Amino acid sequence: QQQVKQSPQSLIVQKGGISIINCAYENTAFDYFPWYQQFPGKGPALLIAIRPDVSEKKEGRFTISFNKSAKQFSLHIMDSQPGDSATYFCAASLAYSGAGSYQLTFGKGTKLSVIP
Amino acid sequence: NAGVTQTPKFRILKIGQSMTLQCTQDMNHNYMYWYRQDPGMGLKLIYYSVGAGITDKGEVPNGYNVSRSTTEDFPLRLELAAPSQTSVYFCASSYRIEGTEAFFGQGTRLTVV
């Protein structure tokens, strides 16, 4: 049972365009939704995160949009650059529930290629 | 500041062999995790630990064991390696604070032949 579904599996975007990656979750108890960026041969690194009490969070060119009623959230990368080419993972966890472990449930990842 | 360090970076094992993947962190994090990453499958949690002496199973624990004798170290043991354990293994750690970032190591690429 996949608790976090991510799409698309791969994405090709022209330099300067907008990259959009979508995720849907099933467990309504999730209360923390981070996005991780992974370059080849490296471990994932936190890019941006959101809690479900806000509908949008922006950091530079990266924006998370969150729709609690639809149980969906998405990552938008504005003015996409070749240096953004990487694999992006959405994730969810019970970070604030007191469940204790803050373990992350990951989507399957989206390989983004930004072409000049 | 080294962060999360994993060794070795690469390893080839024969079926039935055993090995230990090492993970150490120097950030005094309480929580540590082991994930495996398979192509197109994301990262799946193998084991986690909320502090020294405390470990628990994740989503895919079969064929693995862990221990946590110190805050810094969280080794992952593979007993009787099988081809299905061919994967990239990531160790991660985080503070015991709500919504905190998980820091990942650079991974160990393991091939079982």
Side-chain angles (χ1 to χ4, degrees):
Chain A
Q1 180 183 2
Q2 185 186 356
Q3 294 197 52
V4 179
K5 294 184 179 179
Q6 183 172 348
S7 62
Q9 189 173 354
S10 62
L11 181 63
I12 300 174
V13 173
Q14 290 272 2
K15 178 182 176 182
I18 302 174
S19 303
I20 302 174
I21 304 171
N22 301 299
C23 284
Y25 63 97
E26 298 171 2
N27 185 350
T28 55
F30 285 142
D31 56 14
Y32 177 65
F33 301 89
W35 285 88
Y36 279 77
Q37 180 188 55
Q38 184 181 31
F39 293 104
K42 303 292 186 183
L46 181 67
L47 185 63
I48 187 172
I50 197 168
R51 291 193 63 185
D53 52 352
V54 298
S55 60
E56 185 175 282
K57 183 175 181 180
K58 184 176 181 179
E59 291 184 1
R61 297 184 293 108
F62 300 92
T63 300
I64 299 178
S65 297
F66 189 85
N67 186 330
K68 188 174 181 178
S69 60
K71 295 188 289 184
Q72 295 176 345
F73 59 109
S74 60
L75 176 69
H76 295 234
I77 305 175
M78 311 300 288
D79 187 26
S80 299
Q81 299 296 314
D84 297 330
S85 296
T87 299
Y88 293 81
F89 293 95
C90 62
S93 78
L94 300 168
Y96 294 87
S97 69
S101 72
Y102 310 143
Q103 56 185 280
L104 294 163
T105 299
F106 284 89
K108 292 187 175 182
T110 297
K111 185 175 182 179
L112 171 65
S113 300
V114 181
I115 55 177
Chain B
N1 188 357
V4 179
T5 302
Q6 292 183 236
T7 56
K9 287 186 169 55
F10 304 93
R11 183 72 185 268
I12 298 174
L13 274 184
K14 293 185 178 179
I15 295 172
Q17 287 185 322
S18 301
M19 76 163 294
T20 299
L21 282 65
Q22 301 292 344
C23 175
T24 187
Q25 52 92 7
D26 62 359
M27 297 173 282
N28 201 32
H29 286 168
N30 300 97
Y31 293 171
M32 296 188 74
Y33 314 84
W34 275 105
Y35 290 89
R36 60 176 287 173
Q37 183 178 27
D38 300 301
M41 296 301 293
L43 291 94
K44 293 189 182 296
L45 183 67
I46 305 170
Y47 271 95
Y48 66 95
S49 169
V50 300
I54 306 170
T55 63
D56 206 347
K57 296 177 180 179
E59 183 181 357
V60 290
N62 292 342
Y64 307 95
N65 276 300
V66 294
S67 60
R68 183 99 181 267
S69 58
T70 67
T71 298
E72 295 77 20
D73 300 308
F74 190 40
L76 178 71
R77 177 80 177 165
L78 279 71
E79 304 282 2
L80 298 175
S84 61
Q85 293 178 305
T86 294
S87 188
V88 181
Y89 292 85
F90 287 100
C91 178
S93 69
S94 66
Y95 284 114
R96 188 180 175 183
I97 299 174
E98 289 86 350
T100 189
E101 173 181 358
F103 292 83
F104 284 78
Q106 296 217 354
T108 295
R109 183 175 293 275
L110 175 68
T111 302
V112 182
V113 297

